[in-house]
């Protein structure tokens, strides 16, 4: 695909493949940011959905295979790897979550591996898969689902709903309200307490979602900017190659760290929600 | 950032993934891990037990060995004592036998000496009688001189 200028190149790489209803009533793929805006809420980012589901299914397939073969014999290869991750997650959960809840560990495992895999798509060269898809007639393709705020907010809101659910379940509605209303100041300053605690509560999912989204979006942006250098001649291209390698190596740390932070904070938030003695 | 129905789609996807993980992935792997943990613990305990058993057995073996050595020593001592007794007994028997043979021989010798003495006495008395006959050149009446002769014989 040819681009009029670098601005268009960047914009193109940051646009999702959106399917929705056009203003004239027909359903189809949106071409450009204006059409996406016109489609409103009831449209869907096909690329985010596709890659996140493919990666999630890949994750579950690998782990399901290991779970089927799980035995008390000496583990080999894949099983060893899977057990290593499981034990790592289990340690994290045991370290941060004080109660007993069969949901937490599988939730943490899913969050960690799924987000890691979605982030990992960032390490694939920015032009290869979208370019290939372009040849097949797909106008836009963002292959890193975690650079889509819809994805990160969906995760964070799910976690937030769990936080609310367990807060009310463990503390009771009154206890949960008391926690929001009677801290950190005495009871007569209830409105201020509610405001402060309310902001703290709301900040949890928003910070979760924005942290992941921001890191991945910025990382992707830098990859795109580096990729722009390849069109700037030999010298700039080779320099860009080194830059991309360096950034990719550094990014391995970031994608793992972001997945880990998301998981750990989820565990911590749910632990706080589950604690009854406050 | 524009939000759309992807938010809902992702939430549903996420819930399904977590459900699947919770139902089909986590429990079997965790169960296997715990079971293996138990097995390893058991194995280590068994190894320790085996080690202890081995040590006990070795201690018992050395104890038995000591006992056996002691018994063997006792048997050897007894055998030596018995052998000494047998030798002593044999010596006694031999001495007795020798004494018996010696006394028998002594008796025999005594008897022979006596008989020789008797014979000698008879011969001497004969010779004395013959000498006396020659000296006297006449016949001596044996009956008349028998008393004298007997006296002589008795004196020899």
């Amino acid at each position: 695909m040819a681009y009029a200028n670098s601005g268009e190149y960047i914009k193109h790489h940051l646009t999702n493949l959106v399917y929705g209803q056009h203003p004239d009533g027909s359903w189809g793929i949106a071409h450009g940011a204006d059409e996406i805006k016109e489609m409103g809420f009831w449209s869907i980012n096909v690329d985010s959905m596709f890659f996140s589901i493919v990666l999630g299914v890949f994750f579950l397939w690998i782990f399901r295979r290991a779970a089927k073969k799980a035995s008390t014999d000496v583990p080999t290869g894949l099983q060893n790897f899977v057990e290593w991750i499981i034990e790592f997650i289990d340690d994290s959960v045991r370290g941060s979550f004080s109660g007993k809840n069969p949901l937490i560990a599988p939730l943490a495992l899913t969050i960690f591996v799924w987000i890691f895999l979605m982030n990992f798509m960032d390490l694939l060269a920015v032009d290869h898969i979208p370019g290939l898809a372009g040849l097949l007639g797909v106008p836009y393709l963002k292959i890193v689902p975690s650079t889509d705020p819809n994805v990160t907010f969906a995760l964070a809101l799910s976690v937030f709903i769990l936080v609310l659910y367990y807060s009310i379940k463990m503390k009771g509605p009154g206890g949960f309200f008391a926690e929001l209303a009677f801290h950190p100041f005495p009871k007569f300053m209830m409105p201020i307490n509610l405001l402060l605690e309310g902001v703290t509560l709301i900040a949890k999912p928003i910070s979760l979602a924005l942290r992941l989204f921001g890191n991945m979006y910025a990382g992707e942006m830098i990859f795109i900017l580096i990729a722009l250098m390849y069109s700037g001649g030999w010298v700039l291209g080779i320099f860009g190659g080194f830059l991309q390698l360096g950034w990719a190596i550094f990014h391995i740390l970031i994608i793992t760290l972001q997945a880990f932070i998301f998981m750990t904070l989820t565990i911590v938030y749910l632990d706080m929600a589950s604690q009854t003695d406050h | 950032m524009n939000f759309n129905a992807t938010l809902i789609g992702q939430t549903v996807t996420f819930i399904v993934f977590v459900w699947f993980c919770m139902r089909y992935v986590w429990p079997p792997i965790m169960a296997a891990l715990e079971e293996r943990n138990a097995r390893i613990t058991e194995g280590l305990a068994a190894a320790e037990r085996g080690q202890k058993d081995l040590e006990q057995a070795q201690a018992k073996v050395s104890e038995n060995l000591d006992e056996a050595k002691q018994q063997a020593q006792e048997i050897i001592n007894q055998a030596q004592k018995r052998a000494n007794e047998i030798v002593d007994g044999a010596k006694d028997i031999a001495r007795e036998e020798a004494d018996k043979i010696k006394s028998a021989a002594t008796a025999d010798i005594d008897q022979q000496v006596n008989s020789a003495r008797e014979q000698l006495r008879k011969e001497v008395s004969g010779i004395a009688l013959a000498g006396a006959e020659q000296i006297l050149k006449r016949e001596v009446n044996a009956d008349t001189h028998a008393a004298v002769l007997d006296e002589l014989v008795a004196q020899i």
Side-chain angles (χ1 to χ4, degrees):
Chain A
M1 246 181 240
Y3 302 101
N5 53 46
S6 52
E8 196 186 314
Y9 177 81
I10 294 171
K11 208 184 273 175
H12 182 262
H13 275 81
L14 294 177
T15 307
N16 280 105
L17 179 68
V18 183
Y19 180 85
Q21 193 175 25
H22 291 292
D24 59 7
S26 64
W27 290 81
I29 301 291
H31 294 271
D34 296 335
E35 286 191 16
I36 290 175
K37 210 159 265 171
E38 282 165 2
M39 283 178 176
F41 184 77
W42 292 108
S43 55
I44 196 153
N45 296 347
V46 181
D47 45 3
S48 293
M49 287 303 290
F50 174 76
F51 283 109
S52 63
I53 289 175
V54 164
L55 291 168
V57 168
F58 173 71
F59 146 62
L60 289 174
W61 176 67
I62 292 276
F63 275 63
R64 179 65 190 153
R65 259 184 62 186
K68 270 188 190 159
K69 281 197 296 185
S71 70
T72 56
D73 298 331
V74 177
T76 51
L78 174 74
Q79 206 196 339
N80 217 343
F81 175 70
V82 166
E83 283 182 7
W84 172 60
I85 293 176
I86 294 258
E87 279 187 332
F88 164 69
I89 303 288
D90 194 45
D91 277 351
S92 297
V93 172
R94 276 178 213 278
S96 305
F97 193 81
S98 50
K100 266 197 181 292
N101 189 335
L103 172 68
I104 304 301
L107 177 74
L109 174 68
T110 310
I111 286 177
F112 179 71
V113 182
W114 196 28
I115 290 181
F116 176 81
L117 288 173
M118 289 196 288
N119 291 352
F120 187 82
M121 297 301 285
D122 217 356
L123 294 180
L124 303 179
V126 288
D127 276 322
H128 286 179
I129 295 177
L132 205 66
L135 290 179
L136 296 172
V138 180
Y140 297 98
L141 197 67
K142 266 175 82 177
I143 62 165
V144 191
S146 48
T147 57
D148 182 351
N150 286 301
V151 175
T152 62
F153 271 94
L155 285 168
L157 287 176
S158 307
V159 171
F160 185 59
I161 289 166
L162 280 176
V163 167
L164 292 181
Y165 171 71
Y166 280 111
S167 291
I168 293 171
K169 189 187 170 197
M170 304 302 282
K171 304 175 216 277
F176 184 42
F177 178 75
E179 194 181 82
L180 292 179
F182 304 148
H183 293 278
F185 301 116
K187 281 184 186 178
F188 64 88
M189 293 177 83
M190 201 170 86
I192 298 175
N193 287 336
L194 269 179
L195 183 70
L196 282 174
E197 291 290 324
V199 169
T200 310
L201 192 68
I202 300 298
K204 284 174 183 173
I206 292 177
S207 66
L208 263 187
L210 285 182
R211 182 183 302 110
L212 179 60
F213 165 70
N215 272 283
M216 299 325 295
Y217 191 82
E220 177 77 347
M221 183 72 103
I222 289 173
F223 275 121
I224 293 170
L225 291 176
I226 291 171
L228 265 180
M229 297 171 82
Y230 295 132
S231 56
W234 274 101
V235 179
L236 211 56
I238 291 170
F239 180 61
F242 280 111
L243 268 185
Q244 187 180 4
L245 184 66
W247 181 242
I249 291 169
F250 181 61
H251 218 58
I252 294 173
L253 178 69
I254 293 179
I255 61 175
T256 317
L257 197 65
Q258 286 306 319
F260 178 71
I261 288 172
F262 202 111
M263 178 198 78
T264 306
L265 284 177
T266 301
I267 298 170
V268 169
Y269 290 159
L270 286 171
D271 179 51
M272 284 159 68
S274 304
Q275 257 159 16
T276 44
D277 50 329
H278 192 77
Chain B
M1 288 201 286
N2 49 71
F3 291 102
N4 56 27
T6 310
L7 198 63
I8 298 167
Q10 283 292 322
T11 308
V12 172
T13 311
F14 180 53
I15 291 168
V16 170
F17 284 166
V18 171
W19 170 81
F20 185 89
C21 187
M22 191 176 159
R23 185 90 176 69
Y24 295 110
V25 173
W26 189 267
I29 295 181
M30 220 50 209
L33 284 180
E34 265 159 30
E35 205 174 314
R36 188 183 306 140
N37 225 349
R39 238 178 82 175
I40 290 170
T41 313
E42 203 177 294
L44 286 177
E48 207 164 302
R49 258 202 318 275
Q51 189 72 28
K52 213 171 271 175
D53 284 353
L54 181 64
E55 271 168 27
Q56 275 177 352
Q58 273 173 343
K60 183 131 195 194
V61 164
S62 73
E63 199 179 299
N64 282 354
L65 209 61
D66 282 353
E67 211 172 296
K69 269 185 193 161
Q70 211 174 326
Q71 275 180 350
Q73 195 57 49
E74 262 172 39
I75 289 169
I76 289 168
N77 286 348
Q78 272 181 352
Q80 259 169 356
K81 210 165 124 191
R82 186 89 186 92
N84 285 345
E85 277 174 7
I86 290 170
V87 168
D88 283 352
K91 269 186 192 162
D92 284 351
I93 291 169
R95 197 173 291 133
E96 253 170 55
E97 195 69 21
D99 282 354
K100 223 185 268 177
I101 291 168
K102 211 163 83 184
S103 60
T106 314
D108 204 16
I109 290 166
D110 281 353
Q111 206 184 339
Q112 280 186 5
V113 167
N114 281 344
S115 70
R117 189 180 286 158
E118 197 69 30
Q119 205 175 345
L120 197 63
R121 190 185 288 157
K122 276 180 184 161
E123 273 176 23
V124 168
S125 69
I127 292 165
L129 204 58
E133 263 181 5
Q134 290 222 327
I135 296 165
L136 296 176
K137 289 289 188 193
R138 58 178 185 187
E139 233 175 277
V140 178
N141 191 346
D143 296 330
T144 47
H145 302 294
V148 180
L149 286 173
D150 282 342
E151 207 178 317
L152 271 171
V153 169
Q155 276 174 354
I156 293 167

